[in-house]
RNA sequence: GGCCCCAUCGUCUAUCGGUUAGGACGCCACCCUUUCAAGGUGGAGAGACGGGUUCGAUUCCCGUUGGGGCUACCA
């Protein structure tokens, strides 16, 4: 009883993979990473990447979740081939497969009432025993079964687990084996006629001709059941790769307590999809060398099953931020712009229409700010001084750079005068003029630049001061200097 | 409880028997510098424990411990 590691068919034909989330919550980062690995492998090998929504749990499935999955995948740039498959639409096939299993004797009807089962389980657990369904409990003579059937008694269908050992060569773990005696005769069809997860998955994967199943390693113990089902249905067993889970900082399964876990949250916090993919890929996979920052194409080129990790990875938001900063600074500007507009709207700094109306100017500003930001939302926040009519002076900036108000007022008004007299408004002449002024006043350049920065932005931190002057433009810069001088003088009096 | 998976700095990881155990995030210091970032340099920081195998184990095997998953007429 053993499974060949890679059937010849899958070795020569491009693989077919799938991502099969259940729409019972938002697209989780763990799910997103599984999808990413599947997508990467499919795209890299020239195979197909399919999407299946496992909506058989009617109680918990919602359209909203389904939409979140579509949106999340779209945002990450994980496109899929062929039509989306909704598992719930395949009920008839699931039932037909169960009928096949019943007919071949690979499965049997169990008329034991659910309540009775529950009672036995509670009793066993109360006695500290593990409850395992005993096939004999359902044993009926053909006459008895016919009678129950005729009477319309409800029954569930159980798979008859054969003797032996079920094993497979996992692409990340190597050989994994389960003695069949540890697997109980699991239910494949409920008494209401609906299929149970393991049956639906196998039935759909066979119908979708999936040759490679890559999923979270929480499915390892489902795998032997599914392999048994493939065999009983006479279908080829696909290749399996069980990738490690993603945990929170406390080592536990990632959940709400750990902060944002939905990819939509990151999208709305100003993260870039390429950074998210890069970061997620590095959780449970590595290139083998020291490469970490990889733009989409490089990730696609370098991804390999060999680099897959066995150990669960802890999600570190700080590293995600750093990664995003790297992408924000390195991506072609055209690729980051589409993500910048929504951030400015989210932060209430400006509107897309307004920004697009002065595109050249805006791109210059983004270019200046992006190396200093870790997210596009942070970038938008840093851009505030370039959009407001009057700057607010930060209290710390004032106490630090405008300590000696009257002296600073003098310096700033001299600065204003010097700048106003310039024939052109460009960095080199401004710098020459202001450095000359500093020398005349017998002070260091910083004694001019720092107070000037506060006058222009209200902050102690900003891009290079001459870039700020250029972005602000001559009129606004001179106005702000004048306002600062006025403020300083009135403040001294007050 | 039973079964299965896993185990290198706080975190992500490299190492495929012989290394001063390397890199990255974060942290600290310094450099660059008009500020902030970015960048550069340096620092602190790891093989869970116990047995084997071997001339030699982080690496291979066993056990212990720890963590995780599954154990539903959930997915």
């Amino acid at each position: 009883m053993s499974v060949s590691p890679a059937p010849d068919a899958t070795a020569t034909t491009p693989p077919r993979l799938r991502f099969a989330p259940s729409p019972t919550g938002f697209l989780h980062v763990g799910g997103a990473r599984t999808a990413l690995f599947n997508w990467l492998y499919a795209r890299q090998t020239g195979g197909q990447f399919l999407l299946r929504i496992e909506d058989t749990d009617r109680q918990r499935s919602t359209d909203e979740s389904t939409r979140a999955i579509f949106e999340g995948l779209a945002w990450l740039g994980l496109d899929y081939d062929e039509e989306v498959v909704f598992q719930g639409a395949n009920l008839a096939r699931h039932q037909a497969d169960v009928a096949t299993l019943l007919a071949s004797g690979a499965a049997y009807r169990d008329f034991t009432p659910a309540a009775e089962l529950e009672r036995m389980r509670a009793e066993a657990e109360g006695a500290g025993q593990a409850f395992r369904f005993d096939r004999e409990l359902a044993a009926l003579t053909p006459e008895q079964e016919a009678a129950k059937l005729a009477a319309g008694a409800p029954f569930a269908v159980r798979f008859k687990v054969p003797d032996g050992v079920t094993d497979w060569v996992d692409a990340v773990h190597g050989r994994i084996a389960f003695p069949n005696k540890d697997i109980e005769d699991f239910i494949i069809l409920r008494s209401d006629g609906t299929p149970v997860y393991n049956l639906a998955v196998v039935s759909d994967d066979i119908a979708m001709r999936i040759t490679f199943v890559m999923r979270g390693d929480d499915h390892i113990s489902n795998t032997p059941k599914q392999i048994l089902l493939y065999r009983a249905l006479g279908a080829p067993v696909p290749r399996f790769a069980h990738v490690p889970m993603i945990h929170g900082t406390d080592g536990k399964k990632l959940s709400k307590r750990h902060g944002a876990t939905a990819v939509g949250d990151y999208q709305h916090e100003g993260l870039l999809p390429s950074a998210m993919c890069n970061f997620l890929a590095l959780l449970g996979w590595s290139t083998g060398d020291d490469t970490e920052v990889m733009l989409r194409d490089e990730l696609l080129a370098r991804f390999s099953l060999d680099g897959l990790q066995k150990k669960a990875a802890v999600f570190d938001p700080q590293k995600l931020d750093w990664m995003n900063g790297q992408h924000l600074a390195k991506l072609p500007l055209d690729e980051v712009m589409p993500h910048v507009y929504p951030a400015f709207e989210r932060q209430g700094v400006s509107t897309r229409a307004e920004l697009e109306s002065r595109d050249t100017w805006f791109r210059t500003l983004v270019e200046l700010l992006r190396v200093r930001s870790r997210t596009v939302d942070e970038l938008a926040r840093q851009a505030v001084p370039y959009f407001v009519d009057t700057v607010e002076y930060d209290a710390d900036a004032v106490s630090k750079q405008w300590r000696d108000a009257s002296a600073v007022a003098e310096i700033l008004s001299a600065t204003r005068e010097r700048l106003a007299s310039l024939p052109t408004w460009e960095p080199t002449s401004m710098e020459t003029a202001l450095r000359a002024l500093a020398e005349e006043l017998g002070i260091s350049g910083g004694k001019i630049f720092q107070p000037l920065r506060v006058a222009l932005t209200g902050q102690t931190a900003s891009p290079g001061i001459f870039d700020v002057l250029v972005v602000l433009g001559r009129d606004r810069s001179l106005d702000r200097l004048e306002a600062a001088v006025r403020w300083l003088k009135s403040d001294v009096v007050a």
Side-chain angles (χ1 to χ4, degrees):
Chain A
M1 282 248 184
S2 76
V3 176
S4 53
D8 290 338
T10 62
T12 51
T13 315
R16 282 171 70 83
L17 300 96
R18 47 59 164 192
F19 174 51
S22 50
T24 53
F26 296 102
L27 180 58
H28 197 272
V29 292
R33 195 206 46 177
T34 300
L36 174 65
F37 284 162
N38 275 281
W39 181 86
L40 248 14
Y41 190 70
R43 291 290 170 263
Q44 189 181 66
T45 54
Q48 286 94 42
F49 172 60
L50 313 186
L51 177 62
R52 179 171 74 231
I53 303 294
E54 309 220 318
D55 55 352
T56 47
D57 184 347
R58 295 281 159 72
Q59 312 303 318
R60 296 195 296 151
S61 298
T62 66
D63 289 345
E64 192 188 9
S65 300
T66 304
R67 234 174 297 120
I69 290 166
F70 292 154
E71 276 170 27
L73 292 178
W75 178 66
L76 288 168
L78 307 182
D79 57 328
Y80 43 86
D81 305 304
E82 306 179 11
E83 289 296 303
V84 179
V85 172
F86 287 89
Q87 189 160 64
N90 298 326
L91 181 64
R93 173 167 33 70
H94 299 153
Q95 290 170 335
D97 283 341
V98 171
T100 303
L101 260 15
L102 228 27
S104 70
Y108 59 91
R109 297 186 180 84
D110 174 15
F111 290 88
T112 315
E116 172 69 5
L117 237 30
E118 220 167 288
R119 211 213 75 233
M120 290 189 287
R121 177 168 293 110
E123 193 180 288
E125 279 168 7
Q129 304 274 301
F131 176 75
R132 163 114 349 116
F133 182 81
D134 183 349
R135 200 172 291 170
E136 293 309 309
L137 256 32
L140 252 35
T141 63
E143 294 72 27
Q144 289 173 313
E145 182 166 9
K148 291 218 178 222
L149 240 25
F155 61 87
V157 178
R158 286 184 185 267
F159 182 74
K160 191 186 286 177
V161 177
D163 291 336
V165 171
T166 303
D167 69 349
W168 75 96
V169 178
D170 195 90
V172 352
H173 293 271
R175 180 176 181 271
I176 298 180
F178 284 79
N180 291 4
K181 65 171 173 54
D182 292 325
I183 306 169
E184 76 171 3
D185 284 353
F186 54 97
I187 288 177
I188 53 178
L189 194 75
R190 300 184 187 96
S191 49
D192 65 359
T194 60
V196 161
Y197 174 74
N198 284 120
L199 186 278
V201 166
V202 172
S203 180
D204 288 354
D205 281 338
I206 291 171
M208 291 165 80
R209 306 193 319 283
I210 299 303
T211 62
F212 193 175
V213 174
M214 203 182 324
R215 73 225 310 191
D217 67 16
D218 49 342
H219 285 289
I220 286 179
S221 39
N222 280 323
T223 306
K225 297 178 187 174
Q226 297 181 190
I227 288 175
L228 256 14
L229 251 15
Y230 276 100
R231 292 206 190 116
L233 253 10
V237 178
R239 234 180 131 193
F240 291 98
H242 287 94
V243 303
M245 309 258 77
I246 297 178
H247 285 170
T249 330
D250 56 0
K252 299 272 191 283
K253 204 170 177 177
L254 204 56
S255 71
K256 293 275 182 256
R257 305 179 276 112
H258 302 104
T261 55
V263 321
D265 294 341
Y266 291 98
Q267 175 181 359
H268 298 122
E269 276 173 18
L271 272 281
L272 263 15
S274 74
M276 194 72 198
C277 286
N278 191 169
F279 175 73
L280 250 22
L282 256 22
L283 245 37
W285 173 77
S286 76
T287 58
D289 59 32
D290 294 335
T291 314
E292 299 230 58
V293 180
M294 286 168 278
L295 266 28
R296 190 168 221 80
D297 290 346
E298 195 176 2
L299 199 54
L300 191 49
R302 302 207 52 169
F303 182 75
S304 159
L305 261 28
D306 302 332
L308 251 18
Q309 191 79 14
K310 294 178 182 172
K311 191 179 68 164
V314 173
F315 189 92
D316 178 8
Q318 273 191 314
K319 187 156 186 176
L320 208 209
D321 274 350
W322 167 81
M323 183 65 79
N324 200 68
Q326 295 290 312
H327 281 245
L328 189 51
K330 291 188 169 109
L331 240 19
L333 188 59
D334 284 334
E335 248 180 85
V336 336
M337 291 309 288
H339 300 102
V340 169
Y341 302 118
F344 273 68
E345 295 191 327
R346 277 198 295 272
Q347 296 296 322
V349 180
S350 188
T351 65
R352 189 185 190 110
E354 151 71 11
L355 296 171
E356 283 176 337
S357 73
R358 37 180 181 157
D359 188 57
T360 309
W361 172 82
F362 184 51
R363 290 171 71 99
T364 306
L365 178 65
V366 170
E367 201 64 273
L368 247 29
L369 259 21
R370 66 165 165 160
V371 71
R372 286 163 236 273
S373 314
R374 294 206 149 184
T375 67
V376 286
D377 281 61
E378 186 192 331
L379 188 158
R381 272 176 254 125
Q382 284 190 36
V384 168
Y386 311 93
F387 287 83
V388 292
D389 290 328
T390 50
V391 290
E392 266 181 51
Y393 304 123
D394 176 74
D396 291 339
V398 171
S399 66
K400 202 166 166 193
Q401 301 301 344
W402 285 2
R403 196 154 199 81
D404 187 344
S406 61
V408 169
E410 288 310 310
I411 290 172
L412 289 181
S413 77
T415 300
R416 183 181 187 283
E417 199 176 303
R418 213 48 81 91
L419 290 172
S421 70
L422 290 174
T424 60
W425 196 254
E426 43 83 33
T428 47
S429 52
M430 289 189 289
E431 177 156 12
T432 309
L434 295 190
R435 289 212 186 269
L437 174 64
E439 202 163 325
E440 286 167 34
L441 296 176
I443 57 177
S444 68
K447 285 278 187 286
I448 291 180
F449 304 144
Q450 290 301 84
L452 174 57
R453 189 185 317 280
V454 177
L456 297 175
T457 67
Q459 308 289 319
T460 52
S462 82
I465 197 67
F466 305 109
D467 288 326
V468 172
L469 282 162
V470 169
V471 168
L472 240 24
R474 183 191 155 98
D475 292 347
R476 271 217 287 183
S477 297
L478 296 179
D479 286 352
R480 285 187 186 192
L481 271 163
E482 198 183 318
V485 171
R486 218 180 311 123
W487 190 90
L488 281 161
K489 287 188 171 161
S490 68
D491 193 48
V492 162
V493 179

